[in-house]
Amino acid sequence: MTSDPTYRSLSAKEKVFWDLATTRAVFGVQSTAAGLRTLMTESAISADKVTGQEGWSWFNVLTATGFFLFENAALHVSSAVFHSFDLPLAVHHFFALAGFAGSVMWDTVGHFFPMVTLLLEVSTPFTCISWMLLKAGWAKTLFWKANQWLMIHLFHCRMVLTYYMWWVSWCEWDAMMENIPLPQRLLFFSGLALLTVVINPIWTHKKTLQLLNPVDWNFGNKPVPKNIPDVNNKQQSSKKDT
């Protein structure tokens, strides 16, 4: 990666963000697989949405706990070093870490909601690809726009997924009150409320605006590079030769 000209041209802060984006994209793929498996296959988790657990769900809960512990540390250290702070991301990471750590602490609580929550990361790989392509100067290409369209669609899917979790919570209300400790319920419902009415709408709005006006809003709406991709350069040179 260090030999890549785009990566070498980045500032120190942007290089940190690039590295974190790569890590988030990998975690997003794993989380998407876990969430889809929960919703689309028969298992103890789907059969008992409040207390059901399986070995593979424990693997994902522990992985998510470690990932969000790392993410919180990286976010706050980089914020201190580079004198910046992303409040929506910090709130998101706090509730994610607290929620998954709670699933580890109260180990009799089921894994349906944690696994469906992981499916919210379905947009993460596309978000990371979008930002990397912006920094590489691909913002005017059809490939970047297609990725952005798909990412915006997935952010809308995230919103539908939060509505689904509210519906399941309503249907399983009595079982949740009986089997899930009060601190974990408070974390879950307050985090879900923030996602539903604040964080998801803000991010969806920003990503839609970014499609219309490609700027790097992670770094103060910094204009994106205007360099033309090598593929286009090669195509233009080949036309001249002919």
Side-chain angles (χ1 to χ4, degrees):
M1 182 182 295
T2 55
S3 62
D4 180 77
T6 300
Y7 184 80
R8 291 202 311 269
S9 68
L10 300 176
S11 65
K13 182 180 179 180
E14 289 172 326
K15 286 179 180 177
V16 170
F17 195 89
W18 182 292
D19 296 339
L20 291 174
T22 305
T23 307
R24 290 167 183 164
V26 175
F27 177 73
V29 172
Q30 176 184 323
S31 299
T32 301
L36 290 176
R37 181 175 181 178
T38 301
L39 294 180
M40 302 180 69
T41 63
E42 296 292 334
S43 66
I45 299 173
S46 59
D48 185 349
K49 294 180 173 59
V50 178
T51 61
Q53 301 178 353
E54 291 204 2
W56 63 267
S57 65
W58 265 115
F59 171 80
N60 283 283
V61 166
L62 294 173
T63 301
T65 304
F67 172 78
F68 284 113
L69 179 62
F70 162 77
E71 275 284 295
N72 275 274
L75 174 65
H76 294 297
V77 169
S78 62
S79 296
V81 171
F82 298 113
H83 308 288
S84 62
F85 188 69
D86 187 336
L87 180 59
L89 188 63
V91 172
H92 171 274
H93 284 3
F94 167 78
F95 278 98
L97 176 59
F100 283 103
S103 295
V104 176
M105 182 181 302
W106 290 291
D107 56 4
T108 59
V109 175
H111 290 166
F112 178 82
F113 288 109
M115 293 302 99
V116 176
T117 300
L118 284 179
L119 188 54
L120 293 171
E121 297 293 330
V122 66
S123 60
T124 303
F126 300 92
T127 302
C128 298
I129 291 171
S130 171
W131 185 79
M132 290 178 173
L133 292 178
L134 276 176
K135 305 311 291 186
W138 285 62
K140 300 298 182 180
T141 64
L142 179 60
F143 182 77
W144 183 84
K145 292 178 180 178
N147 179 79
Q148 199 77 3
W149 290 330
L150 181 55
M151 178 181 60
I152 293 169
H153 172 68
L154 292 174
F155 268 98
H156 285 96
C157 291
R158 283 172 55 113
M159 298 175 75
V160 173
L161 196 60
T162 58
Y163 306 151
Y164 170 72
M165 284 195 281
W166 283 114
W167 170 252
V168 174
S169 299
W170 174 261
C171 295
E172 302 287 342
W173 186 262
D174 290 339
M176 292 180 71
M177 295 302 106
E178 181 180 349
N179 294 284
I180 301 179
L182 178 59
Q184 188 74 342
R185 294 201 308 270
L186 291 175
L187 276 172
F188 173 72
F189 286 119
S190 56
L192 185 58
L194 281 170
L195 275 172
T196 304
V197 302
V198 179
I199 296 178
N200 274 344
I202 287 176
W203 285 346
T204 304
H205 177 67
K206 279 190 171 184
K207 294 302 182 182
T208 304
L209 291 179
Q210 192 178 46
L211 172 63
L212 304 175
N213 181 30
V215 295
D216 184 4
W217 54 268
N218 290 292
F219 291 87
N221 292 327
K222 181 179 179 181
V224 299
K226 296 182 179 180
N227 49 302
I228 301 173
D230 291 339
V231 175
N232 291 345
N233 286 335
K234 292 178 180 178
Q235 290 177 348
Q236 291 177 359
S237 61
S238 63
K239 289 181 180 178
K240 292 181 181 179
D241 294 339
T242 55

